[in-house]
Amino acid sequence: MSQTEKYEFKAEIRQLLDIVINSLYTDKEIFIRELVSNASDALEKLRFKKASGESIHDPELELKVVVEVDKEQKTISFADTGIGMNREEIITNLGTIAHSGSKNFLSQLADGQKPDASLIGQFGVGFYSAFMVADRVEVSSRSYREGEPGVLWTSDGSGAYEVSTQEGLVRGTKIVLHLKEEHTEFAEDYRVDSILKKHSSFVPFPVYRGDKKINEVQALWVRSKNEITEEDYEKFFQHLHGFGKPRYRLHFSADAPLMIHSILFVPESNMEKMGLSRQESQVNLYCKRVLIEPNSKKLLPEYLRFLTGVVDSEDLPLNISRESMQDSALLAKINKVVTSKLLKFLNDEASKDPEKYQNFFGEFGRYIREGIVQDYTHRESLAKLLRYESSALDAGVTTSLEDYITRMKSDQTEIYYLNGPDRQTIEKSPYFEAFQKKGLEVLFFTDPTDEFVMDHLTEFKEKKMVSAEKADISLDEESGTGLTKDQVKGFVKWLKEVLGDQVGEVRASTRLVGSPCLLANKDGMTSGMRQFMKAVKSSMPGGGMGETSDLEINPAHEIIVKLDSMRSRDNSTATLVAHQILENAKAAAGLIEDPRTMVERLNQLVSALLNSSKS
Ligand code: ADP
Ligand code: MG
């Protein structure tokens, strides 16, 4: 197959190219970073093949990237001695979108969002950036495998590309860009040198421009901390993450139980929160500076997938295959060491600068919650990282569970929380009243998953986590006023008869202060869970079955006292009122089933009221 063959780009690539060429970059120089980074990836892959003992074509070639410019010809080229590509590979890799990154990018476009140019590297559509500045791109490549012929790929980026066989190539890939008239600046050596210095100083292989070496090849993570500047770290972060500045950074080395060098970054923003699809870890696994697995999946627990960085362990066997790597017990050990280290680091940062930490928690808190549900081993360390608003603190200020404990009353044994859509709603909840009266601190849960998380946490430092809706607390002092014991007996009996199956038991409560009554949870579910169950059930056939709760009434409350006397005078209005206060209690618990029946009843009540004021 030495003849030239012509192929059409897939529709999605054409779409991508169109955006890249016509509307994407203001920052055209980025193509240099993308092509050098592809060269570096190819070299990393080769180094890995070599280390794991595969036989390699041209084994003596130095691993490097060479960038060359030609002012006369208006070209810039990138040559590497990496893994190379054969014919099929070049067609697949450069002619179809197989990478999840590019798919994400395209689906974002499909949603009509304007793509963020600086993200293109992230999305893995890097190669096509060449067409921003070139009207013709030639890629010649020779695979690392023995006996493979070389291949030449060319395209003007419009709709098609050509592939032919090429003799006499050495291992690796060379990409030649024929620059557009308006972009000949990229054939100027000083211009290219400065771009290379800016974007490619962390490439872990020597990068030459001509025969001049541009970068210093030394893995940052094995260098001693006091030699590294803040700017070095930032550049390294950008090298890995593509853009932005890190929020937190942890650089550590350990020699027991394992030899580990690591730099981990927490980025500024949570990509999943921004509406992008599930993120993949950006932490790369190295052994003695050889990349073993980029974006390693098993290296850290899934809930730490928001991190970017490097873990290098000298204890990993180099010749291990990536597949068996996945099950390695060693990897599990590294995972445990690094995770513990990171969680402790976050905890330390939280005490150093609580405000900065609170901000982190607002952005990344969902991963911490996810961790508590998933990871039994680190549950306690993760629970330390939780932050909540609380009845003891001003709005906007958060507390840790540890700090809550320091404020607990001497006889208090449980940590109380209450969930709701926001702070104001929770503060008005009848379940909150008794706690407020007794001066017991309640944590305010406003994330819908918080209660679910508590089901997994169950306790912290031997203090049970208890929903204020379920807590068994009572107000000791008798209020003096209100119904007598006998009156309560009669009233409770009457109310149960009136409400029938809509409630379980009706009884006098000791915990209500400002509300006439509340729903009690005999089945142990909080209102949040009940709402959840309701939603699940109503979506099932035959769903929506009535859950019956007990009703606790407040014998000291004015409404109850007056209702008791009304029932002997005007039983029909009293019955309406009884139904309405049950409805009110349901509303307080967020459980209104059908507001229409309530509107009807309210109208009846209003007319009863109008009639009585007339007489
Ligand atoms: P990404 O680098 O995110 O995979 P790119 O668009 O930058 O996406 O590159 C597409 C693919 O083309 C790469 O995954 C790789 O398989 C192949 N490729 C690009 N440049 C080279 C190169 N210099 N050597 C070998 N393969 C390459
Ligand atoms: Mg790339």
Side-chain angles (χ1 to χ4, degrees):
M1 270 221 286
S2 62
Q3 83 279 27
T4 301
E5 284 186 40
K6 203 168 168 166
Y7 299 83
E8 300 275 309
F9 280 117
K10 291 263 150 56
E12 47 193 11
I13 298 256
R14 255 181 281 144
Q15 189 190 356
L16 198 64
L17 278 167
D18 183 54
I19 292 156
V20 166
I21 294 167
N22 297 317
S23 52
L24 203 50
Y25 285 122
T26 44
D27 223 5
K28 303 270 183 196
E29 66 181 47
I30 292 290
F31 79 93
I32 293 184
R33 181 188 77 187
E34 293 301 326
L35 297 182
V36 171
S37 120
N38 282 352
S40 167
D41 291 348
L43 289 162
E44 295 262 25
K45 285 177 195 158
L46 188 94
R47 186 155 69 174
F48 181 84
K49 297 278 181 205
K50 226 177 179 173
S52 51
E54 274 192 52
S55 79
I56 279 159
H57 182 69
D58 287 340
E60 307 306 328
L61 282 181
E62 186 198 355
L63 299 186
K64 62 177 179 185
V65 186
V66 180
V67 181
E68 261 162 348
V69 293
D70 187 330
K71 249 174 111 168
E72 308 291 286
Q73 300 291 317
K74 300 179 189 126
T75 60
I76 176 169
S77 69
F78 302 80
D80 66 68
T81 49
I83 196 168
M85 289 176 272
N86 64 19
R87 193 182 184 100
E88 285 107 67
E89 285 164 338
I90 217 165
I91 291 173
T92 316
N93 295 343
L94 305 183
T96 58
I97 297 192
H99 330 279
S100 54
S102 342
K103 284 200 180 121
N104 267 340
F105 183 75
L106 281 172
S107 66
Q108 203 190 7
L109 291 174
D111 294 348
Q113 296 171 14
K114 202 173 156 21
D116 181 344
S118 63
L119 291 181
I120 196 164
Q122 271 276 104
F123 282 113
V125 288
F127 169 75
Y128 304 101
S129 65
F131 291 101
M132 290 187 310
V133 295
D135 47 23
R136 181 172 180 77
V137 176
E138 294 162 10
V139 184
S140 52
S141 194
R142 169 71 164 86
S143 164
Y144 77 101
R145 293 186 203 89
E146 298 287 1
E148 291 268 11
V151 56
L152 174 70
W153 180 104
T154 58
S155 177
D156 62 3
S158 59
Y161 58 93
E162 286 175 0
V163 181
S164 60
T165 302
Q166 180 95 335
E167 300 300 332
L169 299 177
V170 290
R171 186 195 67 224
T173 303
K174 181 169 180 179
I175 302 182
V176 183
L177 278 64
H178 296 268
L179 296 165
K180 294 178 189 167
E181 210 48 63
E182 65 269 34
H183 297 306
T184 47
E185 57 172 302
F186 299 114
E188 303 276 359
D189 44 15
Y190 67 94
R191 176 87 170 99
V192 171
D193 285 2
S194 88
I195 299 169
L196 284 171
K197 285 209 177 91
K198 188 160 136 204
H199 293 300
S200 302
S201 41
F202 286 99
V203 173
F205 297 92
V207 177
Y208 297 89
R209 214 269 311 136
D211 36 21
K212 193 168 82 182
K213 195 160 145 197
I214 297 288
N215 62 340
E216 233 195 277
V217 184
Q218 207 182 4
L220 195 67
W221 57 93
V222 294
R223 274 164 58 188
S224 116
K225 278 190 227 179
N226 49 29
E227 296 173 2
I228 307 174
T229 66
E230 210 52 49
E231 205 194 338
D232 290 336
Y233 280 121
E234 260 175 37
K235 277 192 165 174
F236 184 55
F237 171 77
Q238 278 166 12
H239 168 70
L240 296 169
H241 192 66
F243 65 99
K245 286 186 179 181
R247 185 187 275 270
Y248 285 125
R249 164 199 6 118
L250 169 63
H251 182 179
F252 75 96
S253 297
D255 22 273
L258 294 161
M259 282 281 264
I260 292 173
H261 298 286
S262 174
I263 299 181
L264 297 172
F265 297 105
V266 177
E268 198 56 52
S269 44
N270 173 357
M271 305 293 276
E272 288 183 21
K273 205 175 155 199
M274 284 164 66
L276 296 183
S277 60
R278 194 181 171 79
Q279 239 190 296
E280 279 183 19
S281 164
Q282 268 189 349
V283 180
N284 303 332
L285 179 63
Y286 284 78
C287 170
K288 301 195 190 85
R289 270 134 283 152
V290 177
L291 179 65
I292 305 285
E293 198 190 17
N295 306 331
S296 175
K297 286 218 164 60
K298 293 276 165 71
L299 173 59
L300 288 170
E302 253 190 279
Y303 60 87
L304 293 181
R305 62 186 177 278
F306 60 95
L307 297 174
T308 293
V310 165
V311 175
D312 189 331
S313 174
E314 310 207 346
D315 295 311
L316 285 167
L318 252 182
N319 57 356
I320 194 167
S321 77
R322 282 183 197 184
E323 290 67 41
S324 58
M325 186 75 234
Q326 295 297 318
D327 309 314
S328 145
L330 198 58
L331 201 56
K333 259 195 213 164
I334 297 176
N335 182 319
K336 201 167 164 190
V337 171
V338 179
T339 303
S340 309
K341 193 91 190 177
L342 180 90
L343 297 179
K344 178 162 187 317
F345 164 79
L346 288 174
N347 197 42
D348 293 345
E349 289 296 312
S351 35
K352 262 192 242 160
D353 187 345
E355 219 169 294
K356 182 175 175 194
Y357 180 79
Q358 185 174 323
N359 191 289
F360 158 82
F361 189 77
E363 188 72 13
F364 293 93
R366 63 166 73 174
Y367 297 98
I368 306 294
R369 294 183 177 95
E370 192 179 316
I372 290 176
V373 173
Q374 285 174 359
D375 186 354
Y376 183 79
T377 320
H378 297 104
R379 195 163 280 168
E380 170 114 352
S381 323
L382 283 158
K384 284 186 190 171
L385 298 175
L386 292 169
R387 290 296 179 277
Y388 297 108
E389 286 204 26
S390 141
S391 60
L393 304 170
D394 291 340
V397 183
T398 59
T399 178
S400 64
L401 297 180
E402 279 178 316
D403 286 347
Y404 178 105
I405 289 175
T406 63
R407 291 187 296 265
M408 272 168 60
K409 300 205 158 190
S410 55
D411 58 344
Q412 189 183 342
T413 55
E414 298 171 331
I415 298 176
Y416 301 113
Y417 62 83
L418 196 51
N419 80 297
D422 53 56
R423 184 183 177 113
Q424 280 119 316
T425 312
I426 300 172
E427 280 173 338
K428 285 196 196 107
S429 160
Y431 300 103
F432 179 53
E433 287 169 17
F435 288 85
Q436 196 177 28
K437 188 92 185 254
K438 286 194 99 173
L440 287 169
E441 180 173 353
V442 176
L443 298 173
F444 295 155
F445 284 7
T446 48
D447 187 293
T449 61
D450 279 329
E451 274 199 306
F452 180 64
V453 171
M454 288 308 129
D455 286 347
H456 289 265
L457 184 61
T458 66
E459 58 174 46
F460 179 75
K461 304 236 153 141
E462 286 160 28
K463 308 280 186 287
K464 262 178 86 174
M465 304 299 305
V466 178
S467 165
E469 290 186 33
K470 293 194 266 184
D472 190 16
I473 65 153
S474 57
L475 294 165
D476 339 283
E477 76 263 31
E478 275 292 327
S479 36
T481 57
L483 303 180
T484 65
K485 274 211 172 101
D486 283 346
Q487 283 173 317
V488 167
K489 247 190 194 164
F491 179 77
V492 157
K493 188 161 168 283
W494 171 80
L495 192 56
K496 172 64 191 167
E497 277 167 15
V498 167
L499 298 176
D501 289 344
Q502 293 184 63
V503 292
E505 191 195 341
V506 177
R507 60 174 174 267
S509 172
T510 44
R511 59 173 160 164
L512 297 161
V513 183
S515 301
C517 62
L518 62 68
L519 288 176
N521 304 288
K522 65 172 176 179
D523 52 8
M525 276 200 276
T526 65
S527 53
M529 290 180 201
R530 231 173 253 274
Q531 283 170 39
F532 179 71
M533 294 301 288
K534 208 175 90 184
V536 171
K537 277 188 184 146
S538 61
S539 68
M540 297 190 313
M545 51 201 283
E547 297 287 341
T548 52
S549 305
D550 291 346
L551 187 68
E552 289 188 7
I553 57 133
N554 180 355
H557 197 281
E558 196 193 358
I559 289 181
I560 299 298
V561 175
K562 290 198 168 144
L563 182 57
D564 187 48
S565 72
M566 179 191 239
R567 69 188 170 96
S568 46
R569 277 184 289 121
D570 177 359
N571 194 51
S572 69
T573 308
T575 301
L576 281 176
V577 172
H579 282 288
Q580 188 57 45
I581 61 171
L582 170 63
E583 202 79 357
N584 294 351
K586 280 189 185 171
L591 290 172
I592 288 295
E593 308 259 341
D594 183 1
R596 281 169 303 185
T597 58
M598 179 164 87
V599 171
E600 206 177 296
R601 188 181 324 103
L602 281 172
N603 284 336
Q604 287 174 307
L605 276 171
V606 169
S607 65
L609 183 71
L610 294 172
N611 283 332
S612 70
S613 65
K614 202 168 51 188
S615 61

